[in-house]
Amino acid sequence: FDQPLPPLEERPNVLIGGPFSLTDQFGARVREADFRGKLMLVYFGYTYCPDVCPTELQTISVALEALGPAAEQIVPIFITVDPSRDTVALMKEYAANFHPALRALSGSREEIATAAKAYRVYYAKSASEDDEAGQSDADDYSMDHTAIVFLMDREGRYLAHFPSATPPERMVERLRQAL
Ligand code: NI
């Protein structure tokens, strides 16, 4: 992990990333191509996630803060895997807890599926614990999902990834190499 990033031509041909078209927390349409020229940190999750998602988004926020002005070259992107509950309004409220540059993206089921497929991200509704009692609330469920932060280069190509629970200092180290 601590080795420098290999030059692009020596990088393994990892098929992660690709076009998406979604809506940010201010209601603006956003295409993946809009971020060309900047590094992207891409993370998929959902606002009702009790633990992992807030931790990952906090790690991204802390890492970007630590980078100072250089962080302006990096766009942190949070894409919901729970579009039925994560409305634009809710994403706006949620994103306010994290770095001010965070783009919190939602969209239709199809749009989310396209983005997740491009990043090889798995997600699925998890069975409600109330199911056995027959009292399942349609809006009370959790999501299983891949919890990896992807680092993409200025052309939108895969550079590196951070498994969940990566300490912010490690993320900073890696980001410095990529800048
Ligand atoms: Ni989560």
Side-chain angles (χ1 to χ4, degrees), residues 13-33:
N13 192 18
V14 181
L15 295 175
I16 291 175
F20 57 71
S21 182
L22 297 163
T23 302
D24 76 7
Q25 74 267 40
F26 306 105
R29 289 299 291 176
V30 168
R31 289 170 314 133
E32 184 258 354

Side-chain angles (χ1 to χ4, degrees), residues 42-155:
V42 182
Y43 178 74
F44 289 76
Y46 67 113
T47 70
Y48 287 85
C49 184
D51 184 10
V52 176
C53 288
T55 303
E56 293 308 310
L57 292 170
Q58 187 61 29
T59 296
I60 291 173
S61 302
V62 170
L64 293 179
E65 285 296 334
L67 283 169
E72 287 167 25
Q73 298 172 56
I74 305 168
V75 193
I77 298 171
F78 171 56
I79 301 176
T80 184
V81 294
D82 185 17
S84 33
R85 286 186 300 184
D86 284 342
T87 59
V88 168
L90 184 53
M91 293 292 267
K92 184 179 181 187
E93 197 180 303
Y94 187 72
N97 296 309
F98 304 102
H99 195 276
L102 183 66
R103 307 296 293 271
L105 308 182
S106 55
S108 69
R109 279 167 195 276
E110 294 71 27
E111 289 167 344
I112 297 296
T114 300
K117 194 176 175 201
Y119 282 82
R120 305 291 190 267
V121 161
Y122 164 83
Y123 63 100
K125 208 185 259 199
S126 174
S128 164
E129 288 167 15
D130 294 336
D131 279 355
E132 286 176 33
Q135 298 178 355
S136 164
D137 180 338
D139 246 6
D140 181 20
Y141 58 87
S142 58
M143 301 289 294
D144 294 329
H145 66 95
T146 305
I148 289 175
V149 179
F150 297 99
L151 173 60
M152 312 299 288
D153 75 8
R154 293 168 204 272
E155 307 294 327

